[in-house]
Amino acid sequence: MTSTSHTTDHSDHGEGHGAHGHIELQYQPAVPVPKGKLAVWLFLSTEIMFFTALIGTYIVLRFGAPQGSWPSPHDVRVVEWLGALNTFVLICSSVTIVFAMEAAKRDVVDKARKWLMLTFLLGCVFLGIKAYEYNSKFSHGIHPAAPRSLLYDRPDINYLAGTKASCDEQLSLLLAEELSEGDAGSGDAGESTEPSEPGSDHDHSDGHHGHDDELAERLELIRSGLIEWTQKKVGQSESRIERELALESLAHQIYPRGKNERVETHLADELKETKALLATTESDAKTAQAKVTDLQKQIDDLNEKIKKAADEEDEEARKKLESKLGSQLESLTQESTDAAAEASRLADLVLPLQNRVAAMDQFGFVEHGINEHYHMRLPMVIPSGNTWANTYFLLTGFHALHVLGGLVAFLILLPMRLGVRRAGVLENVGLYWHFVDIVWIFLFPLLYLF
Amino acid sequence: MNQSQPTQHETHDDSHHGSHTGVFITVFVMLCVLTALSFWIANSHLMDNRYVGWGSMMAVSAAKALLVILFFMHLWWEKMWKYVLTVPAFIMGVLLVMLLVPDVGFRTQTYSNERRINAPVAEVVSAEAQAVEASSEPSSESSKH
């Protein structure tokens, strides 16, 4: 547009150019802004489209999630006020970079540097808070991953199988570790030369072993008392609601998502029933066992009698007695085998019940779930948890990279003389920084408040 | 006229310097207030209908973004070129979302029962829905036949 005006401006001199031999060429920018600023704005317009594509993807996925199937902030360890604090930090940094530019325009170099330094520090604070937030998610196993690796969408059979496989895997890992450590430990003892070191090493490994043993014990109890119990319930139950309740209870015990009265009352009722059943089964088993020993005693007595009968002098009386005792022994033996079978059946019933009660006493009503309380990594049910993690880390990760880029630019600018000549550069970096702020302005409600 | 624009722009900025600082502080306060407002919306009854709540929060965010673009990024004081760079990008961004939300975004609202059962639905909802479904299924089937 302006270039055409340039030609028209000079059209009346056009014929004379060749004749005079000197042309007054002047740079005519197409857009009335410095080249650097234009480049930054062009870059920002591509950035606008890049981030709207990302944010749009998130919005569409969020809208597309049926009601209640998107994780609540608490489910995925999102702390709303930290997001709000970060918004505030970025807004402050936007103001400070503007003041830095204004100071540079007035050629007040010291002030410009002070404001830029403050902007840099605020950017660092933002990234620090972000890192803290990331850590709180990673430490809970909430990160992008394949479906059904650690996060499950719903408590179903797949989830049950996943928890069992996870328990088995962790147990076998512990076993392998123990074996390799045993080898390493013996090797260490042979190689070590300093007298003080082996002792401390030994203590350390002992503590480690204690921890491992504890973990293995816990895993065994979770496996038998929670997972296998649920498996049995799901296998035996006729009602779909009951099966779902059993699975949901397991998921709730491992990683509760808020308070779930329905599951908690179900678990409490079930525990009461299990305890009562355990008490009766145990007393039944005891009486059965008593019966077995009693019968054994009778058999022993009878054998004694048979031995005595052999001493009987009268042939006929002896035979009569022997046949009588023999038939008695036969029936007693039969009775004893039956009683023993019953006793072992009852004993088999007792063990899972005992495991269940022990597991429920230890893990049943842990306040923040087994994973949180014992720092464990069992599969968790967070509906759309994987989708959430993917989008969250994609969006915040790209934003954090942009913040990092801004910080690098600030670092490069800081040692320079931030006078009038640098005001343009400072303005361009500021434009970029404001854009980063704008992206966060949209990300904050979308990721923390939706 | 055009060639002297950048220098004119600078002098313009310098002459109004005092008022600009005031503008920046006002914008800063407004941004803080708006952040608090979106935080308030998230915990208010506007979230009873989630689309109303989300819409309000997005409107607040758009207002905040506009404040930053207009004043911190100086677009308020720029010449016409600002529209060339911002409007097309803005239209593309908005269209992208607007065209996807009605179909893809709302697809679960018309899910068939079979699809809903296989979708990642919160279990409390699903158990109740299935209870209702189980009780209503025989009657609906018999009415069909």
Tab-separated table of all heavy atoms in Angstrom, chain A residues 2 26 28 31-33 37 41 62-64 68-69 95 98 101-102 105-106 154 244 248 257 431 434 438 441 445, chain B residues 2-3 5 13 17 24 28 54 57 61 69 72-74 78 81 85 92 96 104-105 108 117 119-120 122-123 130:
chain	number	residue	atom	x	y	z
A	2	THR	N	1.819	1.268	0.970
A	2	THR	CA	2.669	2.444	1.053
A	2	THR	C	3.651	2.516	-0.100
A	2	THR	O	4.035	3.601	-0.517
A	2	THR	CB	3.450	2.454	2.380
A	2	THR	OG1	3.844	1.126	2.646
A	2	THR	CG2	2.626	3.004	3.480
A	26	GLN	N	14.397	6.067	-0.861
A	26	GLN	CA	14.175	6.070	0.585
A	26	GLN	C	13.462	4.797	0.995
A	26	GLN	O	12.600	4.307	0.259
A	26	GLN	CB	13.329	7.287	0.981
A	26	GLN	CG	14.187	8.498	1.266
A	26	GLN	CD	13.340	9.706	1.567
A	26	GLN	OE1	12.371	9.985	0.876
A	26	GLN	NE2	13.697	10.413	2.618
A	28	GLN	N	10.830	2.649	2.430
A	28	GLN	CA	9.416	2.853	2.730
A	28	GLN	C	8.846	1.563	3.314
A	28	GLN	O	8.566	0.630	2.568
A	28	GLN	CB	8.656	3.216	1.452
A	28	GLN	CG	9.025	4.546	0.868
A	28	GLN	CD	8.436	5.696	1.656
A	28	GLN	OE1	7.583	5.506	2.507
A	28	GLN	NE2	8.899	6.905	1.385
A	31	VAL	N	4.567	-1.501	6.456
A	31	VAL	CA	3.765	-1.271	7.663
A	31	VAL	C	4.536	-0.267	8.508
A	31	VAL	O	5.749	-0.382	8.643
A	31	VAL	CB	3.584	-2.602	8.415
A	31	VAL	CG1	2.789	-2.390	9.682
A	31	VAL	CG2	2.908	-3.625	7.528
A	32	PRO	N	3.844	0.714	9.046
A	32	PRO	CA	4.572	1.784	9.734
A	32	PRO	C	5.095	1.394	11.105
A	32	PRO	O	4.793	2.050	12.104
A	32	PRO	CB	3.526	2.888	9.834
A	32	PRO	CG	2.234	2.161	9.896
A	32	PRO	CD	2.407	0.947	9.030
A	33	VAL	N	5.833	0.304	11.170
A	33	VAL	CA	6.457	-0.089	12.446
A	33	VAL	C	7.861	-0.573	12.135
A	33	VAL	O	8.124	-1.011	11.016
A	33	VAL	CB	5.675	-1.205	13.158
A	33	VAL	CG1	4.434	-0.684	13.803
A	33	VAL	CG2	5.373	-2.351	12.223
A	37	LYS	N	9.755	-5.197	15.243
A	37	LYS	CA	8.426	-5.269	15.852
A	37	LYS	C	7.464	-6.001	14.933
A	37	LYS	O	6.652	-6.815	15.372
A	37	LYS	CB	7.934	-3.846	16.109
A	37	LYS	CG	6.707	-3.773	16.990
A	37	LYS	CD	6.450	-2.334	17.366
A	37	LYS	CE	5.056	-2.146	17.900
A	37	LYS	NZ	4.793	-0.728	18.187
A	41	TRP	N	5.389	-9.367	15.707
A	41	TRP	CA	3.928	-9.479	15.584
A	41	TRP	C	3.530	-10.618	14.645
A	41	TRP	O	2.557	-11.322	14.901
A	41	TRP	CB	3.317	-8.156	15.121
A	41	TRP	CG	2.879	-7.334	16.310
A	41	TRP	CD1	3.463	-6.199	16.777
A	41	TRP	CD2	1.778	-7.620	17.172
A	41	TRP	NE1	2.801	-5.751	17.893
A	41	TRP	CE2	1.766	-6.602	18.159
A	41	TRP	CE3	0.815	-8.616	17.243
A	41	TRP	CZ2	0.818	-6.560	19.170
A	41	TRP	CZ3	-0.122	-8.581	18.249
A	41	TRP	CH2	-0.121	-7.565	19.198
A	62	ARG	N	-12.767	-31.431	26.615
A	62	ARG	CA	-13.440	-31.159	27.893
A	62	ARG	C	-14.956	-31.142	27.715
A	62	ARG	O	-15.682	-31.709	28.501
A	62	ARG	CB	-12.953	-29.807	28.437
A	62	ARG	CG	-13.586	-29.385	29.738
A	62	ARG	CD	-13.115	-30.287	30.858
A	62	ARG	NE	-13.853	-30.074	32.086
A	62	ARG	CZ	-14.961	-30.726	32.404
A	62	ARG	NH1	-15.485	-31.580	31.549
A	62	ARG	NH2	-15.566	-30.527	33.550
A	63	PHE	N	-15.396	-30.479	26.627
A	63	PHE	CA	-16.834	-30.444	26.344
A	63	PHE	C	-17.338	-31.851	26.041
A	63	PHE	O	-18.445	-32.220	26.388
A	63	PHE	CB	-17.119	-29.540	25.133
A	63	PHE	CG	-17.436	-28.123	25.487
A	63	PHE	CD1	-16.445	-27.269	25.922
A	63	PHE	CD2	-18.731	-27.645	25.382
A	63	PHE	CE1	-16.731	-25.964	26.265
A	63	PHE	CE2	-19.025	-26.329	25.715
A	63	PHE	CZ	-18.020	-25.495	26.162
A	64	GLY	N	-16.492	-32.618	25.352
A	64	GLY	CA	-16.915	-33.939	24.912
A	64	GLY	C	-16.947	-34.969	26.024
A	64	GLY	O	-17.428	-36.075	25.815
A	68	GLY	N	-19.317	-35.574	34.768
A	68	GLY	CA	-18.786	-36.417	35.839
A	68	GLY	C	-17.651	-37.315	35.413
A	68	GLY	O	-17.084	-38.020	36.238
A	69	SER	N	-17.305	-37.332	34.135
A	69	SER	CA	-16.238	-38.220	33.712
A	69	SER	C	-14.937	-37.464	33.474
A	69	SER	O	-14.007	-38.016	32.924
A	69	SER	CB	-16.628	-38.983	32.454
A	69	SER	OG	-16.449	-38.166	31.331
A	95	VAL	N	3.431	-6.115	33.975
A	95	VAL	CA	3.526	-4.700	34.336
A	95	VAL	C	4.985	-4.286	34.451
A	95	VAL	O	5.392	-3.228	33.942
A	95	VAL	CB	2.777	-4.429	35.661
A	95	VAL	CG1	2.954	-2.987	36.073
A	95	VAL	CG2	1.313	-4.751	35.519
A	98	VAL	N	6.635	-3.719	31.134
A	98	VAL	CA	6.178	-2.462	30.529
A	98	VAL	C	6.939	-1.288	31.151
A	98	VAL	O	7.423	-0.396	30.446
A	98	VAL	CB	4.658	-2.291	30.741
A	98	VAL	CG1	4.252	-0.855	30.495
A	98	VAL	CG2	3.895	-3.200	29.793
A	101	MET	N	10.403	-1.062	29.783
A	101	MET	CA	10.461	-0.438	28.474
A	101	MET	C	10.295	1.079	28.577
A	101	MET	O	11.005	1.837	27.915
A	101	MET	CB	9.374	-1.022	27.583
A	101	MET	CG	9.508	-0.617	26.147
A	101	MET	SD	7.980	-0.888	25.278
A	101	MET	CE	6.923	0.336	25.987
A	102	GLU	N	9.368	1.500	29.425
A	102	GLU	CA	9.131	2.935	29.578
A	102	GLU	C	10.392	3.634	30.083
A	102	GLU	O	10.760	4.704	29.602
A	102	GLU	CB	7.980	3.162	30.573
A	102	GLU	CG	6.639	2.644	30.092
A	102	GLU	CD	6.003	3.568	29.076
A	102	GLU	OE1	5.983	4.786	29.316
A	102	GLU	OE2	5.540	3.067	28.027
A	105	LYS	N	12.912	3.943	27.358
A	105	LYS	CA	12.559	5.007	26.420
A	105	LYS	C	12.997	6.379	26.954
A	105	LYS	O	13.384	7.256	26.197
A	105	LYS	CB	11.052	5.024	26.180
A	105	LYS	CG	10.645	4.141	25.004
A	105	LYS	CD	9.171	4.280	24.724
A	105	LYS	CE	8.764	3.345	23.600
A	105	LYS	NZ	7.295	3.206	23.554
A	106	ARG	N	12.899	6.514	28.285
A	106	ARG	CA	13.317	7.778	28.898
A	106	ARG	C	14.823	7.772	29.172
A	106	ARG	O	15.339	8.693	29.792
A	106	ARG	CB	12.541	8.016	30.192
A	106	ARG	CG	11.123	8.535	29.933
A	106	ARG	CD	10.379	8.784	31.226
A	106	ARG	NE	9.954	7.524	31.832
A	106	ARG	CZ	10.231	7.173	33.086
A	106	ARG	NH1	10.908	7.991	33.865
A	106	ARG	NH2	9.827	6.014	33.550
A	154	ARG	N	-12.395	-46.520	34.472
A	154	ARG	CA	-13.502	-47.001	35.279
A	154	ARG	C	-13.084	-48.263	36.024
A	154	ARG	O	-12.218	-49.008	35.570
A	154	ARG	CB	-14.724	-47.274	34.408
A	154	ARG	CG	-14.358	-47.874	33.065
A	154	ARG	CD	-15.470	-47.733	32.080
A	154	ARG	NE	-16.561	-48.610	32.424
A	154	ARG	CZ	-17.821	-48.367	32.110
A	154	ARG	NH1	-18.124	-47.258	31.481
A	154	ARG	NH2	-18.762	-49.201	32.431
A	244	GLU	N	-20.362	-54.080	40.685
A	244	GLU	CA	-19.797	-52.742	40.503
A	244	GLU	C	-19.384	-52.147	41.830
A	244	GLU	O	-18.355	-51.476	41.936
A	244	GLU	CB	-20.817	-51.835	39.821
A	244	GLU	CG	-20.912	-52.113	38.350
A	244	GLU	CD	-21.468	-50.945	37.594
A	244	GLU	OE1	-21.961	-50.003	38.247
A	244	GLU	OE2	-21.420	-50.980	36.362
A	248	GLU	N	-15.831	-50.847	42.749
A	248	GLU	CA	-15.729	-49.442	43.104
A	248	GLU	C	-15.076	-49.289	44.478
A	248	GLU	O	-14.292	-48.362	44.707
A	248	GLU	CB	-17.138	-48.847	43.127
A	248	GLU	CG	-17.194	-47.375	42.899
A	248	GLU	CD	-18.619	-46.875	43.033
A	248	GLU	OE1	-19.525	-47.463	42.413
A	248	GLU	OE2	-18.823	-45.916	43.777
A	257	ARG	N	-11.582	-40.716	45.337
A	257	ARG	CA	-11.806	-39.421	44.696
A	257	ARG	C	-12.925	-38.736	45.456
A	257	ARG	O	-14.084	-38.899	45.159
A	257	ARG	CB	-12.174	-39.604	43.226
A	257	ARG	CG	-11.046	-40.282	42.465
A	257	ARG	CD	-11.333	-40.373	41.005
A	257	ARG	NE	-12.558	-41.091	40.736
A	257	ARG	CZ	-13.646	-40.537	40.225
A	257	ARG	NH1	-13.662	-39.273	39.909
A	257	ARG	NH2	-14.708	-41.258	40.010
A	431	LEU	N	6.452	-7.646	24.081
A	431	LEU	CA	5.287	-8.134	23.327
A	431	LEU	C	5.154	-9.647	23.484
A	431	LEU	O	4.074	-10.182	23.746
A	431	LEU	CB	5.425	-7.775	21.855
A	431	LEU	CG	5.174	-6.306	21.492
A	431	LEU	CD1	5.492	-6.079	20.022
A	431	LEU	CD2	3.747	-5.917	21.802
A	434	HIS	N	4.074	-10.532	27.006
A	434	HIS	CA	2.633	-10.292	27.222
A	434	HIS	C	1.809	-11.403	26.598
A	434	HIS	O	0.799	-11.835	27.158
A	434	HIS	CB	2.210	-8.951	26.625
A	434	HIS	CG	2.861	-7.791	27.277
A	434	HIS	ND1	2.889	-7.635	28.635
A	434	HIS	CD2	3.508	-6.723	26.760
A	434	HIS	CE1	3.534	-6.525	28.931
A	434	HIS	NE2	3.925	-5.956	27.814
A	438	ILE	N	-0.973	-13.767	28.195
A	438	ILE	CA	-2.338	-13.959	27.677
A	438	ILE	C	-2.678	-15.445	27.597
A	438	ILE	O	-3.782	-15.866	27.970
A	438	ILE	CB	-2.478	-13.306	26.279
A	438	ILE	CG1	-2.476	-11.789	26.421
A	438	ILE	CG2	-3.771	-13.742	25.604
A	438	ILE	CD1	-2.390	-11.064	25.106
A	441	ILE	N	-3.584	-16.562	30.885
A	441	ILE	CA	-4.890	-16.018	31.279
A	441	ILE	C	-6.006	-16.968	30.832
A	441	ILE	O	-6.995	-17.158	31.534
A	441	ILE	CB	-5.078	-14.602	30.683
A	441	ILE	CG1	-4.299	-13.587	31.529
A	441	ILE	CG2	-6.543	-14.211	30.604
A	441	ILE	CD1	-4.297	-12.192	30.944
A	445	PRO	N	-8.286	-20.524	33.918
A	445	PRO	CA	-9.646	-21.045	34.155
A	445	PRO	C	-9.876	-22.410	33.503
A	445	PRO	O	-10.537	-23.262	34.088
A	445	PRO	CB	-10.563	-19.976	33.556
A	445	PRO	CG	-9.710	-19.193	32.651
A	445	PRO	CD	-8.315	-19.260	33.170
B	2	ASN	N	4.117	8.475	5.661
B	2	ASN	CA	4.251	7.154	6.254
B	2	ASN	C	5.658	6.897	6.773
B	2	ASN	O	5.832	6.243	7.781
B	2	ASN	CB	3.904	6.076	5.226
B	2	ASN	CG	2.393	5.939	5.106
B	2	ASN	OD1	1.715	6.008	6.110
B	2	ASN	ND2	1.919	5.782	3.886
B	3	GLN	N	6.650	7.416	6.093
B	3	GLN	CA	8.016	7.082	6.462
B	3	GLN	C	8.385	7.635	7.832
B	3	GLN	O	9.246	7.101	8.519
B	3	GLN	CB	8.993	7.615	5.413
B	3	GLN	CG	9.157	9.126	5.469
B	3	GLN	CD	9.891	9.624	4.256
B	3	GLN	OE1	9.408	9.573	3.133
B	3	GLN	NE2	11.082	10.109	4.475
B	5	GLN	N	6.460	7.674	10.331
B	5	GLN	CA	5.532	7.123	11.335
B	5	GLN	C	6.212	6.622	12.615
B	5	GLN	O	5.799	6.971	13.694
B	5	GLN	CB	4.695	6.011	10.708
B	5	GLN	CG	3.426	5.694	11.482
B	5	GLN	CD	2.620	6.944	11.755
B	5	GLN	OE1	2.282	7.695	10.863
B	5	GLN	NE2	2.310	7.192	13.030
B	13	ASP	N	4.309	8.573	22.203
B	13	ASP	CA	4.406	7.836	23.464
B	13	ASP	C	5.015	8.694	24.559
B	13	ASP	O	4.548	8.712	25.687
B	13	ASP	CB	5.281	6.592	23.251
B	13	ASP	CG	4.416	5.363	23.130
B	13	ASP	OD1	3.219	5.550	22.847
B	13	ASP	OD2	4.930	4.253	23.314
B	17	HIS	N	3.485	10.247	28.387
B	17	HIS	CA	4.074	9.239	29.266
B	17	HIS	C	3.386	9.134	30.615
B	17	HIS	O	3.058	8.054	31.072
B	17	HIS	CB	5.558	9.506	29.481
B	17	HIS	CG	6.180	8.373	30.208
B	17	HIS	ND1	6.324	8.387	31.560
B	17	HIS	CD2	6.587	7.167	29.781
B	17	HIS	CE1	6.819	7.230	31.932
B	17	HIS	NE2	6.998	6.483	30.869
B	24	PHE	N	-1.431	1.834	32.824
B	24	PHE	CA	-0.883	0.510	33.117
B	24	PHE	C	-1.283	0.039	34.509
B	24	PHE	O	-1.627	-1.127	34.706
B	24	PHE	CB	0.652	0.525	32.996
B	24	PHE	CG	1.119	0.750	31.590
B	24	PHE	CD1	2.246	1.510	31.332
B	24	PHE	CD2	0.418	0.194	30.525
B	24	PHE	CE1	2.669	1.711	30.034
B	24	PHE	CE2	0.842	0.400	29.225
B	24	PHE	CZ	1.973	1.174	28.980
B	28	PHE	N	-3.521	-3.118	35.421
B	28	PHE	CA	-3.016	-4.133	36.348
B	28	PHE	C	-4.062	-4.442	37.422
B	28	PHE	O	-4.372	-5.607	37.691
B	28	PHE	CB	-1.721	-3.625	36.997
B	28	PHE	CG	-1.248	-4.464	38.137
B	28	PHE	CD1	-0.732	-5.733	37.913
B	28	PHE	CD2	-1.330	-4.000	39.443
B	28	PHE	CE1	-0.296	-6.511	38.965
B	28	PHE	CE2	-0.901	-4.776	40.496
B	28	PHE	CZ	-0.384	-6.031	40.263
B	54	TRP	N	-18.727	-21.957	32.520
B	54	TRP	CA	-17.571	-21.940	31.608
B	54	TRP	C	-17.603	-20.712	30.713
B	54	TRP	O	-16.584	-20.060	30.497
B	54	TRP	CB	-17.568	-23.200	30.732
B	54	TRP	CG	-17.291	-24.459	31.488
B	54	TRP	CD1	-16.886	-24.546	32.789
B	54	TRP	CD2	-17.396	-25.798	31.003
B	54	TRP	NE1	-16.735	-25.858	33.140
B	54	TRP	CE2	-17.039	-26.656	32.061
B	54	TRP	CE3	-17.750	-26.354	29.778
B	54	TRP	CZ2	-17.018	-28.036	31.933
B	54	TRP	CZ3	-17.738	-27.734	29.656
B	54	TRP	CH2	-17.374	-28.559	30.727
B	57	MET	N	-16.521	-17.666	32.621
B	57	MET	CA	-15.076	-17.625	32.869
B	57	MET	C	-14.308	-17.301	31.601
B	57	MET	O	-13.324	-16.565	31.624
B	57	MET	CB	-14.612	-18.968	33.443
B	57	MET	CG	-14.905	-19.108	34.920
B	57	MET	SD	-14.061	-20.503	35.630
B	57	MET	CE	-15.191	-21.818	35.266
B	61	SER	N	-11.864	-14.198	30.827
B	61	SER	CA	-10.514	-14.383	30.277
B	61	SER	C	-10.330	-13.554	29.008
B	61	SER	O	-9.267	-12.965	28.809
B	61	SER	CB	-10.271	-15.861	29.959
B	61	SER	OG	-10.009	-16.561	31.138
B	69	ILE	N	-3.670	-7.067	25.549
B	69	ILE	CA	-3.301	-6.778	24.160
B	69	ILE	C	-3.394	-5.282	23.866
B	69	ILE	O	-2.494	-4.681	23.289
B	69	ILE	CB	-4.214	-7.570	23.190
B	69	ILE	CG1	-3.850	-9.057	23.241
B	69	ILE	CG2	-4.060	-7.060	21.761
B	69	ILE	CD1	-4.636	-9.912	22.283
B	72	PHE	N	-0.997	-3.232	27.389
B	72	PHE	CA	0.392	-3.660	27.594
B	72	PHE	C	1.105	-3.846	26.259
B	72	PHE	O	2.290	-3.574	26.132
B	72	PHE	CB	0.447	-4.966	28.402
B	72	PHE	CG	0.129	-4.791	29.853
B	72	PHE	CD1	-0.058	-5.889	30.681
B	72	PHE	CD2	0.017	-3.521	30.416
B	72	PHE	CE1	-0.337	-5.737	32.024
B	72	PHE	CE2	-0.275	-3.366	31.765
B	72	PHE	CZ	-0.456	-4.475	32.565
B	73	MET	N	0.374	-4.345	25.262
B	73	MET	CA	0.997	-4.580	23.960
B	73	MET	C	0.771	-3.394	23.015
B	73	MET	O	1.040	-3.491	21.814
B	73	MET	CB	0.468	-5.884	23.351
B	73	MET	CG	0.854	-7.110	24.164
B	73	MET	SD	0.065	-8.629	23.634
B	73	MET	CE	1.258	-9.224	22.446
B	74	HIS	N	0.252	-2.307	23.562
B	74	HIS	CA	0.158	-1.024	22.845
B	74	HIS	C	-0.758	-1.018	21.632
B	74	HIS	O	-0.727	-0.064	20.867
B	74	HIS	CB	1.543	-0.552	22.366
B	74	HIS	CG	2.498	-0.355	23.478
B	74	HIS	ND1	3.586	-1.175	23.667
B	74	HIS	CD2	2.534	0.536	24.481
B	74	HIS	CE1	4.244	-0.794	24.741
B	74	HIS	NE2	3.617	0.231	25.260
B	78	GLU	N	-1.705	1.744	18.253
B	78	GLU	CA	-1.099	1.433	16.959
B	78	GLU	C	-2.017	1.856	15.810
B	78	GLU	O	-3.201	2.121	16.007
B	78	GLU	CB	-0.820	-0.079	16.848
B	78	GLU	CG	0.123	-0.625	17.901
B	78	GLU	CD	1.566	-0.194	17.712
B	78	GLU	OE1	1.829	0.596	16.778
B	78	GLU	OE2	2.419	-0.614	18.512
B	81	TRP	N	-2.474	-1.273	10.810
B	81	TRP	CA	-1.841	-2.559	10.522
B	81	TRP	C	-2.166	-3.603	11.564
B	81	TRP	O	-2.091	-4.808	11.321
B	81	TRP	CB	-0.322	-2.398	10.384
B	81	TRP	CG	0.348	-1.947	11.671
B	81	TRP	CD1	0.632	-0.668	12.019
B	81	TRP	CD2	0.785	-2.775	12.744
B	81	TRP	NE1	1.217	-0.627	13.254
B	81	TRP	CE2	1.314	-1.914	13.714
B	81	TRP	CE3	0.770	-4.153	12.984
B	81	TRP	CZ2	1.832	-2.380	14.929
B	81	TRP	CZ3	1.285	-4.612	14.189
B	81	TRP	CH2	1.811	-3.729	15.146
B	85	LEU	N	-2.789	-8.243	11.273
B	85	LEU	CA	-2.096	-9.346	11.926
B	85	LEU	C	-2.948	-10.060	12.976
B	85	LEU	O	-2.756	-11.238	13.221
B	85	LEU	CB	-0.813	-8.837	12.579
B	85	LEU	CG	0.301	-8.497	11.601
B	85	LEU	CD1	1.502	-7.956	12.339
B	85	LEU	CD2	0.680	-9.710	10.786
B	92	MET	N	-9.415	-17.399	12.789
B	92	MET	CA	-9.077	-18.815	12.626
B	92	MET	C	-9.154	-19.549	13.949
B	92	MET	O	-9.665	-20.669	14.031
B	92	MET	CB	-7.686	-18.953	12.022
B	92	MET	CG	-7.681	-18.768	10.532
B	92	MET	SD	-6.065	-19.132	9.880
B	92	MET	CE	-5.657	-17.590	9.153
B	96	LEU	N	-11.910	-22.468	14.685
B	96	LEU	CA	-11.432	-23.808	15.007
B	96	LEU	C	-12.252	-24.399	16.151
B	96	LEU	O	-12.746	-25.523	16.078
B	96	LEU	CB	-9.957	-23.749	15.401
B	96	LEU	CG	-9.368	-25.074	15.864
B	96	LEU	CD1	-8.947	-25.899	14.679
B	96	LEU	CD2	-8.192	-24.856	16.789
B	104	VAL	N	-18.187	-32.424	17.766
B	104	VAL	CA	-17.303	-33.276	18.572
B	104	VAL	C	-17.526	-33.021	20.056
B	104	VAL	O	-17.609	-33.945	20.868
B	104	VAL	CB	-15.833	-33.026	18.181
B	104	VAL	CG1	-14.926	-33.957	18.947
B	104	VAL	CG2	-15.644	-33.208	16.693
B	105	GLY	N	-17.636	-31.731	20.396
B	105	GLY	CA	-17.744	-31.383	21.811
B	105	GLY	C	-19.005	-31.892	22.464
B	105	GLY	O	-18.998	-32.309	23.621
B	108	THR	N	-21.269	-36.525	23.192
B	108	THR	CA	-21.671	-37.473	24.233
B	108	THR	C	-23.100	-37.218	24.713
B	108	THR	O	-23.677	-38.046	25.392
B	108	THR	CB	-20.735	-37.394	25.431
B	108	THR	OG1	-20.667	-36.035	25.850
B	108	THR	CG2	-19.360	-37.881	25.070
B	117	ILE	N	-22.225	-46.937	28.021
B	117	ILE	CA	-21.719	-47.959	28.937
B	117	ILE	C	-20.221	-48.146	28.741
B	117	ILE	O	-19.469	-48.330	29.692
B	117	ILE	CB	-22.476	-49.295	28.713
B	117	ILE	CG1	-23.875	-49.181	29.297
B	117	ILE	CG2	-21.733	-50.461	29.352
B	117	ILE	CD1	-24.808	-50.267	28.853
B	119	ALA	N	-18.191	-45.863	27.596
B	119	ALA	CA	-17.468	-44.604	27.722
B	119	ALA	C	-16.968	-44.469	29.154
B	119	ALA	O	-17.503	-45.085	30.072
B	119	ALA	CB	-18.379	-43.437	27.381
B	120	PRO	N	-15.905	-43.680	29.341
B	120	PRO	CA	-15.428	-43.477	30.703
B	120	PRO	C	-16.378	-42.588	31.498
B	120	PRO	O	-16.233	-41.375	31.536
B	120	PRO	CB	-14.070	-42.808	30.508
B	120	PRO	CG	-14.141	-42.184	29.183
B	120	PRO	CD	-15.075	-42.988	28.352
B	122	ALA	N	-18.289	-41.629	35.136
B	122	ALA	CA	-18.097	-41.767	36.580
B	122	ALA	C	-18.990	-42.895	37.087
B	122	ALA	O	-20.153	-42.999	36.704
B	122	ALA	CB	-18.441	-40.468	37.281
B	123	GLU	N	-18.421	-43.721	37.949
B	123	GLU	CA	-19.099	-44.963	38.295
B	123	GLU	C	-20.400	-44.747	39.069
B	123	GLU	O	-21.336	-45.505	38.927
B	123	GLU	CB	-18.154	-45.873	39.081
B	123	GLU	CG	-17.598	-45.307	40.358
B	123	GLU	CD	-16.445	-44.364	40.053
B	123	GLU	OE1	-16.122	-44.152	38.875
B	123	GLU	OE2	-15.876	-43.822	40.992
B	130	GLN	N	-27.562	-47.355	35.356
B	130	GLN	CA	-27.787	-48.738	34.970
B	130	GLN	C	-28.934	-49.358	35.759
B	130	GLN	O	-29.663	-50.201	35.237
B	130	GLN	CB	-26.508	-49.548	35.171
B	130	GLN	CG	-25.554	-49.359	33.999
B	130	GLN	CD	-24.136	-49.704	34.352
B	130	GLN	OE1	-23.893	-50.284	35.398
B	130	GLN	NE2	-23.221	-49.340	33.490
